[in-house]
Amino acid sequence: MKHLLSTADLDAATATEILDIATEMASVSGREIKKLPTLRGRTVVNLFYEDSTRTRISFEAAAKRLSADVINFSAKGSSVAKGESLKDTAWTLQAMGADAVVIRHPASGAPHRLAGWVSGSVLNAGDGTHEHPTQALLDAYTMRARMGRLDGLHVAIVGDVLHSRVARSNVLLLNTLGAKVTLVGPPTLVPTDLSSAVQVSYDLDAVLPQADVVMMLRVQRERMTDSYFPSAREYSRRYGLDGARLRRMPSHGIVMHPGPMNRGMEITPEVADSPRSTIVEQVTNGVSVRMACLYLLLGGRS
Amino acid sequence: MARPMTDESSDPAQQVPAQALSKIVLTAADVQRVVDRIAHQILEKTQGAGDVVLLGIATRGVPIARRLAERIRAFEGREVPVGTLDITLYRDDLRRNSIRAVGRTEEPPGGVDGRRVVLVDDVLFSGRTIRAALDALSDLGRPAAVQLAVLVDRGHRQLPIRADYVGKNIPTALSEQVKVRLQEIDGSDEVVLAAGVKDKQA
Amino acid sequence: MSVVLIKGARILGGDPVDLVLRDGVIAELGPGLRADGATVVDADGLVALPGLVDLHTHLREPGREDAETVYTGSRAAALGGYTAVCAMANTSPVADTAGVVEQVYRLGQEAGLVDVQPIGAVTIGLAGERLAELGAMADSAARVRVFSDDGHCVSDPRLMRRALEYVKAFDGVIAQHAEEPRLTEGAQMHEGEVSARLGLTGWPAVAEESIIARDVLLAEHVGARLHVCHVSTAGSVEIIRVAKARGVRVTAEVTPHHLLLTHTRAESYDPVYKVNPPLRTDADVTALREGLRDGTIDIVATDHAPHAAEDKECEWAYARPGMLGLETALPIVLDVLGDQWDLIAERMSRAPARIAGLDNHGHDLKVGAPANLTLIDPTARWTVEATGLASLSHNTPYAGMTVPGRIVATFLRGVPTVLDGKVQK
């Protein structure tokens, strides 16, 4: 595996292998010494064009636990802020000998472009409204850890699917791994022609009784001013997950959220803090999954 | 995304078909006798194996460690904890090869702190695997002592490492390959010496 | 004045014939002609077409001379078989005054490779708020007849109505860039399955179709001429077909790239495929080809849009839309329509000259007609190379593609601008 740009690039065997390796990595994280010598001498650059402390820290922890050297390159206060193009930045990273570049960028496809300009590996840490592959992998890891399987699982992804890179990566990966996906949200926020392999519903209450997993997406309040829905109150009444709705789910069902949450908007504190919620585990699992990805990208001959 | 996965202990056994060029150095009965003997030696050398844990190095060290535990139980009625150690993430030659599959590491029940850990592997060759295993072991905890048991020692050490328990010393040329087959993985027990086509380090 | 003798050209693919070009016109036509002191051009096996006319060219001067100039764009045009191009108004400063259109016109005359006919802006600064001095531009030395805010849509219906009405006084035409701006805010590519997958904001077909539907009704209401730029959807073709059947004075153009390429090109995220309107679906391509054949779409126009490397070598969303077209238009149309030479002449020379009011262009090759023509080798195939084109910019979507038809020679008023595939100036 040279790059990780999209979960569409992962076949079932490779995706499963990442989850399996992540399981091993997780056991390292439980040890007294949370460090492996695996990527000693390798350089990983975190190139972040968007503020995302959570994701950056997760990648940084993953790279450091594998003994890689980590360089954080944030767009703020750097030459990037002074208007340097992505291509020129790519050449700079190339000259610095970056073995892998972890890129977060507001423009869809920026990691694809970068991959054409650097010789090292490119890992997509979220690009515009396109994809966020490691988030989907950690979500799949969390589901497998909680439910024991992915094949045949029914996953409802609820909210602003249209603008969600998390949803896109999850739909592709979950399809590959045999789960059944239903997208739920107001028609303005669910693209109708996303894929024939997914189902679409506008009625959350109808979907919940069959859902093994409900994944709530963050809904940005600015969507309201763009007339995607009339008000936050109406949105949460129709598509928010509260205690009453949680009780409509099967008793084994779990609730996921990629964070950061809008408590009171798409999810109530009662649900977010319930034992059925996996939100904290998702953060923990993120480090293990990213370690597995870095190993697969950098652990062999380059 | 398909890419070759290498697992050095399994591929020579499967890829070299040249029966004419290979010689059986241990038969199934020999393997059984050798394991029995190592089990006795461990009991003898550790005064009854009271503080011993066995740590099998993936892949073929793991069934050998389990057999040793089983023999010790049969001889003395003592339960010796068994764990597995995958050293892939500790190898010093990762950059020279394509990506390797990562195996399972399972700490033995009760852990390794303060115990006498016997590392178990099939073949001792350059010593690099054992070096990696010692690194991996030190990240698991702090044993009181570490010993090494191998089914075959074929020589050609590159590091100052020696085994405490050796099933059989087999003098080899560098170009030759020692292939260990075990019932649990390969369907039968035997050790074969084959004229190799390349210099493979164990 | 030079004299040119063309030997054995097949006019519109007919039987070989000789032509003598003298004093800017076709002086003689027939077999076995001789002309003393003439430059002789061996046209054995070559097809002669009236010089091509492009109703939609971005020459970037004034303002972005790093991407293209009137001179470099004229070279590209001549190499593409063109003898006239209409230069779009979205320069910097905008061509919204007599001064700017005359400057562009004069630069074209100085280059002397094709007739550069400036298009005037409909509204001041392309801002869509107040009419530019359309009459002053019409009365200027540039004799502007086509007005367009191309790049922007004249979206205000009342302003569009006034513009359509106002230019009737001098037989002008409004060339509309049909794009409902509120429906395309932030739009990056055709809205559909591919945009959903790539996470790029969609540009829905309805944003084009709704404006065209409105505009044909406005044109019908005020009895004015309307020209629709770069039609890109099957629905647009259908609306124009119905409008023409009702007798609305509407004409329409399609670009070579919309006749050939589809939205799946965006999968590479390479902005060389980013264009406005965007590349659409296979069904749209089929409908556009059918519309071009049956005359619903009157002409092929290039929408030649050069962009400097830094505006394309970047993230898709940050790239400027547009593609080169002048040097590849005829090969692409030949590929799409086959060797229907009369149809090609109609769609790429006669009809665009009529719409633009270019009286000296688009004439059949007959004795006494202006000697504006081009010679094509229909059997030659060549591979497009981005750096092999004459344009200052390299943003061709056809790089690496092998296309039919090599433009061998072009003549403007009897003077060779291109001979043996090379610019003569």
Side-chain angles (χ1 to χ4, degrees):
Chain A
M1 192 160 84
K2 169 77 178 173
H3 306 294
L4 180 56
L5 304 177
S6 161
T7 50
D9 301 337
L10 300 172
D11 56 25
T14 309
T16 304
E17 196 194 353
I18 292 174
L19 303 185
D20 290 346
I21 294 176
T23 308
E24 288 305 306
M25 298 298 185
S27 73
V28 172
S29 303
R31 291 185 204 153
E32 201 172 316
I33 296 169
K34 298 178 178 56
K35 194 156 180 133
L36 292 164
T38 316
L39 298 184
R40 236 167 25 155
R42 300 270 176 151
T43 302
V44 175
V45 175
N46 284 326
L47 179 61
F48 274 57
Y49 286 81
E50 281 181 343
D51 285 333
S52 175
T53 311
R54 308 158 56 99
T55 306
R56 187 182 57 71
I57 287 177
S58 182
F59 271 106
E60 188 169 345
K64 286 182 168 168
R65 282 187 190 172
L66 291 171
S67 301
D69 294 318
V70 178
I71 298 172
N72 286 314
F73 196 129
S74 129
K76 273 192 180 157
S78 70
S79 50
V80 170
K82 294 168 192 149
E84 184 178 81
S85 74
L86 180 61
K87 193 176 184 183
D88 287 337
T89 302
W91 287 357
T92 306
L93 301 179
Q94 179 76 12
M96 281 163 38
D99 296 298
V101 181
V102 175
I103 178 173
R104 161 66 69 97
H105 199 290
S108 299
H112 285 77
R113 297 293 281 160
L114 184 67
W117 294 324
V118 295
S119 62
S121 293
V122 175
L123 207 158
N124 182 0
D127 62 329
T129 53
H130 178 224
E131 284 213 44
H132 193 353
T134 56
Q135 177 72 41
L137 285 161
L138 77 87
D139 290 340
Y141 180 93
T142 305
M143 285 179 225
R144 193 176 77 164
R146 275 275 190 132
M147 313 297 288
R149 72 196 161 101
L150 289 164
D151 191 42
L153 222 52
H154 185 187
V155 181
I157 301 178
V158 184
D160 184 1
V161 177
L162 185 65
H163 300 95
S164 174
R165 51 195 175 204
V166 175
R168 256 174 206 76
S169 285
N170 261 298
V171 165
L172 292 163
L173 183 65
L174 289 170
N175 273 329
T176 301
L177 293 173
K180 180 180 156 219
V181 179
T182 303
L183 303 174
V184 186
T188 46
L189 291 175
V190 181
T192 47
D193 39 11
L194 192 64
S195 157
S196 53
V198 297
Q199 302 204 319
V200 170
S201 170
Y202 308 127
D203 184 353
L204 180 56
D205 289 321
V207 171
L208 287 174
Q210 289 92 47
D212 301 305
V213 179
V214 173
M215 186 182 294
M216 303 305 295
L217 301 174
R218 178 181 169 79
V219 176
Q220 312 209 321
R221 282 169 198 278
E222 50 266 34
R223 303 286 175 233
M224 205 168 71
T225 52
D226 267 350
S227 299
Y228 285 100
F229 50 86
S231 69
R233 196 172 55 184
E234 175 160 328
Y235 181 88
S236 54
R237 204 175 288 155
R238 292 179 67 87
Y239 297 103
L241 192 61
D242 59 11
R245 284 211 166 100
L246 180 65
R247 285 183 282 279
R248 294 180 66 90
M249 287 181 69
S251 55
H252 66 269
I254 58 169
V255 176
M256 309 182 73
H257 194 296
M261 286 179 280
N262 290 312
R263 284 175 185 258
M265 176 86 169
E266 71 265 4
I267 192 165
T268 61
E270 180 195 353
V271 176
D273 303 333
S274 86
R276 309 270 292 274
S277 150
T278 64
I279 293 164
V280 177
E281 285 155 68
Q282 285 171 271
V283 176
T284 311
N285 295 340
V287 177
S288 307
V289 164
R290 288 171 179 128
M291 287 171 77
C293 292
L294 286 170
Y295 172 70
L296 276 185
L297 293 179
L298 294 180
R301 189 167 39 211
S302 50
Chain B
M1 295 291 288
R3 81 203 122 70
M5 278 284 190
T6 59
D7 179 339
E8 69 168 346
S9 27
S10 67
D11 71 356
Q14 282 156 12
Q15 286 172 6
V16 181
Q19 294 298 328
L21 296 172
S22 55
K23 177 175 84 182
I24 294 174
V25 288
L26 290 178
T27 64
D30 293 336
V31 170
Q32 197 185 332
R33 273 191 289 274
V34 159
V35 170
D36 284 356
R37 195 182 76 240
I38 295 175
H40 279 297
Q41 285 174 337
I42 291 172
L43 282 166
E44 201 176 310
K45 230 176 158 175
T46 61
Q47 292 86 41
D51 57 351
V52 165
V53 300
L54 295 165
L55 207 48
I57 298 174
T59 308
R60 283 176 180 70
V62 176
I64 298 172
R66 295 217 173 94
R67 289 189 198 186
L68 288 171
E70 189 273 320
R71 295 323 293 155
I72 289 169
R73 184 170 53 240
F75 298 149
E76 298 274 321
R78 181 178 290 285
E79 290 290 337
V80 175
V82 180
T84 68
L85 195 60
D86 181 85
I87 56 107
T88 306
L89 299 170
Y90 291 85
R91 298 190 71 98
D92 61 5
D93 61 351
L94 286 171
R95 299 181 81 148
R96 294 158 174 254
N97 296 288
S98 44
I99 292 279
R100 291 166 185 275
V102 177
R104 296 217 59 135
T105 292
E106 286 171 70
E107 283 196 58
V112 296
D113 283 355
R115 310 298 297 264
R116 190 191 303 258
V117 172
V118 179
L119 293 171
V120 182
D121 205 359
D122 55 349
V123 179
L124 179 58
F125 186 10
S126 69
R128 287 176 188 269
T129 299
I130 305 306
R131 199 268 324 143
L134 290 169
D135 285 351
L137 179 57
S138 71
D139 283 357
L140 283 184
R142 192 173 178 283
V146 183
Q147 297 184 336
L148 174 62
V150 297
L151 198 61
V152 172
D153 183 348
R154 60 166 295 188
H156 304 290
R157 213 77 74 240
Q158 295 170 353
L159 294 170
I161 283 169
R162 62 164 186 80
D164 301 86
Y165 314 99
V166 177
K168 188 170 176 65
N169 282 296
I170 302 176
T172 58
L174 262 180
S175 62
E176 286 173 319
Q177 290 182 8
V178 175
K179 293 179 291 182
V180 172
R181 295 177 204 274
L182 295 171
Q183 182 76 42
E184 296 89 329
I185 294 168
D186 311 296
S188 64
D189 283 357
E190 69 180 7
V191 177
V192 172
L193 184 61
V197 283
K198 59 176 180 174
D199 179 8
K200 191 144 177 76
Q201 303 201 331
Chain C
M1 203 75 190
S2 71
V3 179
V4 175
L5 172 60
I6 300 171
K7 300 286 289 179
R10 296 165 49 214
I11 295 173
L12 301 182
D15 292 332
V17 67
D18 298 349
L19 299 91
V20 174
L21 316 182
R22 189 185 290 125
D23 300 329
V25 297
I26 298 172
E28 294 172 66
L29 192 69
L33 295 184
R34 294 182 50 199
D36 289 339
T39 306
V40 178
V41 177
D42 177 8
D44 185 32
L46 304 185
V47 171
L49 293 181
L52 306 183
V53 176
D54 190 16
L55 197 63
H56 195 144
T57 313
H58 296 274
L59 293 177
R60 301 292 182 228
E61 189 176 2
R64 284 306 296 263
E65 291 83 354
D66 59 323
E68 195 81 289
T69 66
V70 172
Y71 173 66
T72 59
S74 293
R75 285 171 60 93
L79 286 165
Y82 287 90
T83 52
V85 299
C86 297
M88 269 299 171
N90 62 338
T91 48
S92 179
V94 172
D96 56 2
T97 63
V100 178
V101 292
E102 284 192 4
Q103 182 198 354
V104 172
Y105 177 73
R106 270 198 308 276
L107 287 166
Q109 293 292 303
E110 283 164 23
L113 290 163
V114 292
D115 284 343
V116 174
Q117 172 59 54
I119 290 173
V122 177
T123 66
I124 296 170
L126 310 176
E129 287 164 5
R130 288 188 299 140
L131 287 183
E133 290 189 343
L134 308 178
M137 289 188 273
D139 295 340
S140 74
R143 278 189 72 257
V144 176
R145 290 295 178 271
V146 181
F147 299 90
S148 180
D149 275 2
D150 182 61
H152 301 265
C153 182
V154 182
S155 62
D156 177 344
R158 194 172 68 154
L159 192 63
M160 184 62 181
R161 176 212 165 128
R162 298 279 189 254
L164 287 165
E165 281 180 308
Y166 189 80
V167 299
K168 282 163 72 178
F170 35 86
D171 197 26
V173 62
I174 305 297
Q176 174 72 296
H177 171 115
E179 174 183 355
E180 210 309 303
R182 290 283 282 160
L183 290 177
T184 54
E185 273 175 27
Q188 297 294 329
M189 66 172 295
H190 173 66
E191 180 177 300
E193 178 263 323
V194 180
S195 69
R197 181 153 41 85
L198 298 183
L200 291 170
T201 307
W203 198 129
V206 67
E208 174 173 307
E209 292 154 4
S210 58
I211 290 291
I212 296 176
R214 180 201 75 178
D215 285 356
V216 294
L217 293 173
L218 284 175
E220 181 175 45
H221 180 62
V222 299
R225 284 172 65 200
L226 167 71
H227 178 74
V228 185
C229 295
H230 39 53
V231 171
S232 70
T233 78
S236 299
V237 175
E238 197 47 47
I239 291 163
I240 294 164
R241 191 174 282 134
V242 170
K244 284 189 166 182
R246 281 167 69 123
V248 178
R249 296 168 71 200
V250 58
T251 54
E253 75 189 31
V254 64
T255 69
H257 47 269
H258 287 112
L259 289 171
L260 192 71
L261 307 174
T262 66
H263 59 156
T264 58
R265 296 271 170 174
E267 286 166 356
S268 65
Y269 286 105
D270 184 343
V272 78
Y273 301 112
K274 179 172 173 176
V275 66
N276 192 17
L279 300 176
R280 306 274 185 192
T281 66
D282 281 324
D284 293 311
V285 167
T286 304
L288 291 168
R289 290 178 174 200
E290 200 178 296
L292 185 65
R293 286 196 193 95
D294 71 19
T296 303
I297 293 174
D298 303 82
I299 67 170
V300 174
T302 64
D303 197 4
H304 178 81
H307 284 298
E310 67 267 25
D311 291 325
K312 284 292 189 182
E313 292 275 288
C314 60
E315 298 85 331
W316 179 283
Y318 306 159
R320 288 171 176 273
M323 303 172 163
L324 299 185
L326 286 170
E327 291 168 81
T328 46
L330 184 61
I332 300 297
V333 172
L334 188 55
D335 194 43
V336 167
L337 291 181
D339 57 356
Q340 302 183 64
W341 298 109
D342 189 62
L343 184 62
I344 292 173
E346 179 63 21
R347 299 284 182 263
M348 299 187 76
S349 177
R350 294 182 215 128
R354 272 198 309 273
I355 294 167
L358 294 171
D359 298 338
N360 291 319
H361 293 271
H363 291 272
D364 286 329
L365 302 180
K366 290 180 179 153
V367 172
N372 299 322
L373 66 148
T374 186
L375 300 174
I376 299 127
D377 180 351
T379 60
R381 295 183 70 83
W382 57 287
T383 301
V384 181
E385 279 179 63
T387 53
L389 300 175
S391 175
L392 262 188
S393 298
H394 304 306
N395 55 308
T396 174
Y398 310 112
M401 276 176 58
T402 299
V403 293
R406 191 173 77 93
I407 292 92
V408 177
T410 308
F411 302 88
L412 176 65
R413 282 183 285 281
V415 178
T417 54
V418 171
L419 280 179
D420 198 19
K422 291 183 183 63
V423 182
Q424 298 301 297
K425 202 166 178 177

